[in-house]
Amino acid sequence: MPALIPPTERLRASFLAAMTEFRAEGRGDRQDHTMVGSEIREHGGTWHTAPGFARYVAELRAQELEETPRPAGWVPATTLWWADGDEYLGRIAVRHRLTPSLLEMGGHIGYDVRASARRRGHASAMLRAALPVTHALGIDRALVTCDAENVASRRVIERNGGVLEDERAGKLRFWVPTAHR
């Protein structure tokens, strides 16, 4: 049964296979401004070593701490992996607060499901499982965005109670209640 778990070195082999799938889709180039894209560029050269992967996992886990140094404009974020046993299926990140930029485009929550695990309900289940985590951070309504043409992601957000506010620069902006329904 899949569940959200903190990033762990135990899933390294499956995680690396998932990143290969993302790269095959063209993720990780300079035009890819997603979480996966930036992490492929920043960490992809060291993931293949156990120490490099351990550093990456430690960095992800440290990002939820307020005192962790981060680039200007970045906020604390809790990253959780969606896993079934030793199989990495995807990930979700909950940003603890919004900056003006995140209010426009990024939102509180971002998620990715590896290609081989798509169309099986994982994204909907993962978002549903992350809403209590978001609520525990004091966020009553989470902003979740998706590309206007991404019908699958729109359905994921709507299945989880997302209410469309508007579209800005090709991004649909939804507010999702985080309290238990």
Side-chain angles (χ1 to χ4, degrees):
M1 179 75 125
L4 286 177
I5 63 169
T8 176
E9 295 171 51
R10 177 176 60 84
L11 298 185
R12 182 170 155 234
S14 182
F15 177 89
L16 292 174
M19 293 304 113
T20 298
E21 292 176 20
F22 283 120
R23 283 184 173 140
E25 296 177 324
R27 303 290 287 277
D29 66 21
R30 294 206 184 280
Q31 285 70 43
D32 182 359
H33 300 289
T34 65
M35 294 179 296
V36 167
S38 65
E39 289 182 3
I40 287 172
R41 287 189 303 277
E42 186 175 339
H43 300 283
T46 61
W47 280 333
H48 65 284
T49 70
F53 193 71
R55 275 192 305 278
Y56 167 68
V57 167
E59 284 180 32
L60 282 182
R61 295 182 78 160
Q63 286 304 311
E64 67 185 73
L65 305 173
E66 188 70 39
E67 64 271 13
T68 298
R70 57 185 50 84
W74 288 47
V75 300
T78 300
T79 296
L80 298 166
W81 289 355
W82 188 244
D84 192 357
D86 287 336
E87 185 181 4
Y88 173 95
L89 301 169
R91 61 92 156 270
I92 196 159
V94 179
R95 297 172 195 98
H96 297 192
R97 60 182 173 271
L98 297 176
T99 63
S101 174
L102 290 173
L103 181 61
E104 284 294 314
M105 301 292 276
H108 285 104
I109 299 174
Y111 53 88
D112 291 286
V113 174
R114 67 187 291 178
S116 62
R118 292 182 190 146
R119 299 187 189 277
R120 292 194 257 158
H122 290 302
S124 293
M126 185 170 50
L127 180 55
R128 185 172 42 257
L131 292 175
V133 173
T134 309
H135 188 73
L137 291 168
I139 301 166
D140 294 326
R141 290 183 328 136
L143 178 62
V144 185
T145 68
C146 69
D147 291 336
E149 69 276 359
N150 190 339
V151 176
S153 194
R154 180 181 184 148
R155 286 187 183 136
V156 165
I157 298 165
E158 290 173 339
R159 279 188 202 111
N160 279 283
V163 176
L164 180 65
E165 178 173 79
D166 60 15
E167 178 180 340
R168 298 182 189 178
K171 294 280 187 184
L172 300 178
R173 298 172 66 254
F174 295 85
W175 291 96
V176 181
T178 63
H180 180 65
R181 290 177 269 147

